[in-house]
Amino acid sequence: MARAAPLLAALTALLAAAAAGGDAPPGKIAVVGAGIGGSAVAHFLQQHFGPRVQIDVYEKGTVGGRLATISVNKQHYESGAASFHSLSLHMQDFVKLLGLRHRREVVGRSAIFGGEHFMLEETDWYLLNLFRLWWHYGISFLRLQMWVEEVMEKFMRIYKYQAHGYAFSGVEELLYSLGESTFVNMTQHSVAESLLQVGVTQRFIDDVVSAVLRASYGQSAAMPAFAGAMSLAGAQGSLWSVEGGNKLVCSGLLKLTKANVIHATVTSVTLHSTEGKALYQVAYENEVGNSSDFYDIVVIATPLHLDNSSSNLTFAGFHPPIDDVQGSFQPTVVSLVHGYLNSSYFGFPDPKLFPFANILTTDFPSFFCTLDNICPVNISASFRRKQPQEAAVWRVQSPKPLFRTQLKTLFRSYYSVQTAEWQAHPLYGSRPTLPRFALHDQLFYLNALEWAASSVEVMAVAAKNVALLAYNRWYQDLDKIDQKDLMHKVKTEL
Ligand SMILES: *[C@@H]1O[C@H](CO)[C@@H](O)[C@H](O)[C@H]1NC(C)=O
Ligand SMILES: *[C@@H]1O[C@H](CO)[C@@H](O)[C@H](O)[C@H]1NC(C)=O
Ligand SMILES: *[C@@H]1O[C@H](CO)[C@@H](O)[C@H](O)[C@H]1NC(C)=O
Ligand SMILES: *[C@@H]1O[C@H](CO)[C@@H](O)[C@H](O)[C@H]1NC(C)=O
Ligand SMILES: *[C@@H]1O[C@H](CO)[C@@H](O)[C@H](O)[C@H]1NC(C)=O
Ligand SMILES: *[C@@H]1O[C@H](CO)[C@@H](O)[C@H](O)[C@H]1NC(C)=O
């Protein structure tokens, strides 16, 4: 007892000193948006700051954001982001952590449709695919593969940097640390330019690369090379999705974090205290009325550009003012059609002989980007994909809502059509500069990274970066922010 007393006193003094010195953890954190970015950052923030910090997550729509499902004929189907690359390491971790499972894969063949005929067909035999690619396009596809692999290999460095606690305050700093000026340059030049330079032919770009970019971004080979390379990587690896629906990752992370989800639209963030640590007032409105609350840290996990669907969030009291609303988004419409495919349109008068489950398109026909015969989010072991002559659920992705005449072209007849309209990805090229994560001392913009490349995993990477940035800034660990030559530092730390 006597011996314990001095130790206790010393501990108390130490704790008091820590509190007075500003080393106490933050009290309250606000996250605006409960999509994958917002849910993941809530989880990472709690991981770093500990379980006692209160995290409020504001969501104006539904938890999951661009991860969503629609019910057709009593089954649920993905209506937003449908699948992930096997190297999506943060997403893989979340699934494991939450006790979720990968959905069983039901194989189906893909092909690229060029308006009159199929440009490229996947066969059942891998070697034959390679042979055909070689026959049609020579060495182009190997060059493409090497180009994509080099980008991915460098991008994967981010996981190592993050495991060592390093964070970046801007998208440019982050890209530079991974791929130096090459990566930054790749956000300023087009996919087509970059590929032509490494010897990929224009024909291969027009026939194959464009179709993949249209399928993932609804954009052309004129889009920036970095975002393009990331989406082409997705077309090569094996893909997976979450049993029960991808959105379960978001709701699962929020539940695990015990985050306080507030269903409201955030209207403004105002800077209050400028002495010592900043204090932010977050104002919001919902059907109950208007209200506000104060926070030590605020993370914006939703796009900030102005358009019809964004929340028109304003920033007040900041000098210099924060005005990050440049750029616009590429709308994408997903239509889930329950009906019979018009296989004649694709040159197969007999639907029984139609061999494809996934159709990509070149820029003609222009009214749709992809057409997929999809499976529900929960499938039993005995599940088999619907045959083309049967009524099936097809997912059509298009730049604009489909007209009745267009639906009548693609389908012989249908029972139902349900649509989801997404501001899916940034319209690359609509913004002159790369945005920053740090908008103010403890005010962060997670979706900044979408302007380099946009995918679910990229948002999870941005979430980890923002959580580390907030943590390193809070405890003034400046050696862990915007460091150069990290490859070398990380090696010597090991
Ligand atoms: C940037 O990329 C373009 C197109 O790939 C290339 O022509 C140019 O030389 C690159 N510039 C630098 C500084 O790397
Ligand atoms: C679908 O899968 C999820 C996750 O495995 C499970 O929680 C849910 O009960 C399943 N639903 C149905 C209808 O089988
Ligand atoms: C909430 O605030 C907005 C302005 O931000 C105002 O237009 C609206 O009338 C307010 N609503 C209520 C119920 O006070
Ligand atoms: C906003 O909506 C109007 C009408 O619904 C539409 O004409 C306009 O293009 C939309 N603007 C943006 C930026 O999406
Ligand atoms: C956002 O502001 C624009 C005009 O600045 C307006 O047209 C739009 O309806 C607003 N959107 C929302 C969701 O309030
Ligand atoms: C199906 O496609 C063919 C060929 O493009 C077209 O002539 C026909 O009108 C389409 N619709 C139906 C219902 O067959």
Side-chain angles (χ1 to χ4, degrees):
M1 195 64 207
R3 258 194 305 164
L7 187 66
L8 206 67
L11 243 159
T12 316
L14 204 71
L15 283 175
D23 282 334
K28 282 172 79 177
I29 300 179
V31 175
V32 182
I36 186 63
S39 317
V41 81
H43 162 69
F44 287 133
L45 283 164
Q46 194 192 54
Q47 218 177 40
H48 292 294
F49 285 114
R52 286 177 56 193
V53 54
Q54 182 190 324
I55 302 177
D56 288 349
V57 179
Y58 292 92
E59 173 54 58
K60 67 176 153 62
T62 47
V63 167
R66 285 170 271 180
L67 300 183
T69 56
I70 286 183
S71 151
V72 182
N73 204 18
K74 301 199 191 97
Q75 299 261 31
H76 295 279
Y77 297 85
E78 297 290 352
S79 60
S83 54
F84 319 114
H85 190 268
S86 56
L87 293 178
S88 300
L89 300 190
H90 285 315
M91 284 301 285
Q92 299 271 27
D93 278 349
F94 297 156
V95 166
K96 228 178 279 165
L97 181 71
L98 297 170
L100 296 168
R101 286 194 310 213
H102 287 196
R103 195 202 309 170
R104 195 168 66 82
E105 284 304 316
V106 183
V107 292
R109 283 165 61 185
S110 309
I112 299 175
F113 184 64
E116 276 170 0
H117 59 273
F118 284 96
M119 326 282 297
L120 192 65
E121 303 175 9
E122 193 183 10
T123 62
D124 293 330
W125 194 32
Y126 177 71
L127 277 179
L128 194 56
N129 286 339
L130 283 188
F131 178 73
R132 284 190 191 202
L133 277 168
W134 189 272
W135 184 257
H136 281 291
Y137 301 106
I139 204 164
S140 273
F141 85 96
L142 273 185
R143 291 196 167 126
L144 172 80
Q145 213 158 6
M146 280 160 65
W147 182 76
V148 167
E149 266 165 27
E150 195 185 327
V151 173
M152 279 309 282
E153 202 181 299
K154 287 183 179 164
F155 179 77
M156 299 295 285
R157 292 175 177 172
I158 191 68
Y159 297 106
K160 202 177 250 180
Y161 298 169
Q162 293 190 333
H164 284 257
Y166 290 103
F168 304 93
S169 46
V171 172
E172 192 162 333
E173 287 87 339
L174 186 146
L175 290 182
Y176 193 90
S177 83
L178 299 175
E180 301 189 339
S181 58
T182 310
F183 269 19
V184 178
N185 192 30
M186 284 178 78
T187 65
Q188 295 154 353
H189 291 89
S190 72
V191 173
E193 255 180 288
S194 302
L195 285 179
L196 287 171
Q197 207 163 45
V198 296
V200 172
T201 62
Q202 186 68 48
R203 183 161 160 244
F204 189 72
I205 295 172
D206 293 343
D207 290 2
V208 181
V209 172
S210 300
V212 174
L213 297 177
R214 252 169 88 77
S216 41
Y217 287 108
Q219 293 171 44
S220 74
M223 74 181 292
F226 186 76
M230 299 288 281
S231 101
L232 287 159
Q236 299 196 325
S238 63
L239 299 178
W240 60 278
S241 51
V242 179
E243 186 178 74
N246 296 330
K247 66 180 182 184
L248 293 181
V249 173
C250 299
S251 53
L253 286 174
L254 291 174
K255 215 175 275 169
L256 186 75
T257 311
K258 298 200 179 67
N260 181 25
V261 179
I262 300 168
H263 290 279
T265 304
V266 171
T267 50
S268 66
V269 178
T270 307
L271 175 63
H272 266 267
S273 152
T274 47
E275 292 162 25
K277 294 220 142 113
L279 194 62
Y280 304 98
Q281 183 177 20
V282 171
Y284 58 94
E285 56 184 57
N286 55 17
E287 58 286 355
V288 184
N290 293 353
S291 190
S292 74
D293 211 337
F294 289 90
Y295 297 94
D296 297 312
I297 297 174
V298 177
V299 177
I300 312 292
T302 184
L304 273 182
H305 64 285
L306 274 182
D307 67 21
N308 296 345
S309 62
S310 75
S311 54
N312 291 355
L313 194 146
T314 57
F315 297 101
F318 294 91
H319 305 286
I322 294 168
D323 182 25
D324 201 281
V325 294
Q326 307 166 64
S328 53
F329 265 47
Q330 172 77 46
T332 294
V333 181
V334 171
S335 308
L336 297 188
V337 183
H338 182 208
Y340 296 90
L341 185 75
N342 178 15
S343 55
S344 302
Y345 178 73
F346 297 99
F348 287 81
D350 181 357
K352 281 201 197 71
L353 299 178
F354 187 78
F356 305 116
N358 309 103
I359 298 161
L360 291 83
T361 61
T362 57
D363 50 9
F364 184 83
S366 56
F367 71 97
F368 76 102
C369 300
T370 58
L371 176 67
D372 299 295
N373 180 337
I374 57 171
C375 303
V377 296
N378 282 61
I379 50 181
S380 60
S382 62
F383 180 89
R384 60 170 188 82
R385 197 191 286 277
K386 287 277 190 298
Q387 298 299 305
Q389 71 273 21
E390 297 175 295
V393 176
W394 294 85
R395 175 179 155 130
V396 190
Q397 228 163 285
S398 55
K400 295 202 186 102
L402 295 171
F403 294 121
R404 244 180 83 84
T405 50
Q406 293 167 336
L407 283 163
K408 289 277 179 200
T409 307
L410 292 177
F411 298 93
R412 275 188 287 139
S413 65
Y414 50 84
Y415 300 112
S416 69
V417 182
Q418 294 183 71
T419 57
E421 292 190 30
W422 301 108
Q423 296 289 318
H425 304 286
L427 183 57
Y428 291 102
S430 70
R431 181 187 169 116
T433 58
L434 289 171
R436 302 187 62 72
F437 297 108
L439 299 180
H440 189 252
D441 291 357
Q442 288 292 350
L443 171 64
F444 304 103
Y445 177 31
L446 191 152
N447 289 58
L449 196 54
E450 274 191 296
W451 286 95
S454 152
S455 75
V456 173
E457 179 65 14
V458 164
M459 286 298 94
V461 165
K464 180 73 179 176
N465 180 64
V466 163
L468 283 168
L469 187 58
Y471 182 79
N472 295 343
R473 280 185 163 218
W474 187 266
Y475 291 113
Q476 294 289 308
D477 196 353
L478 303 181
D479 289 347
K480 295 267 169 165
I481 300 173
D482 296 337
Q483 290 295 306
K484 298 236 161 64
D485 198 20
L486 272 185
M487 263 320 265
H488 183 248
K489 280 205 176 72
V490 164
K491 259 188 209 134
T492 51
E493 267 177 40
L494 274 174

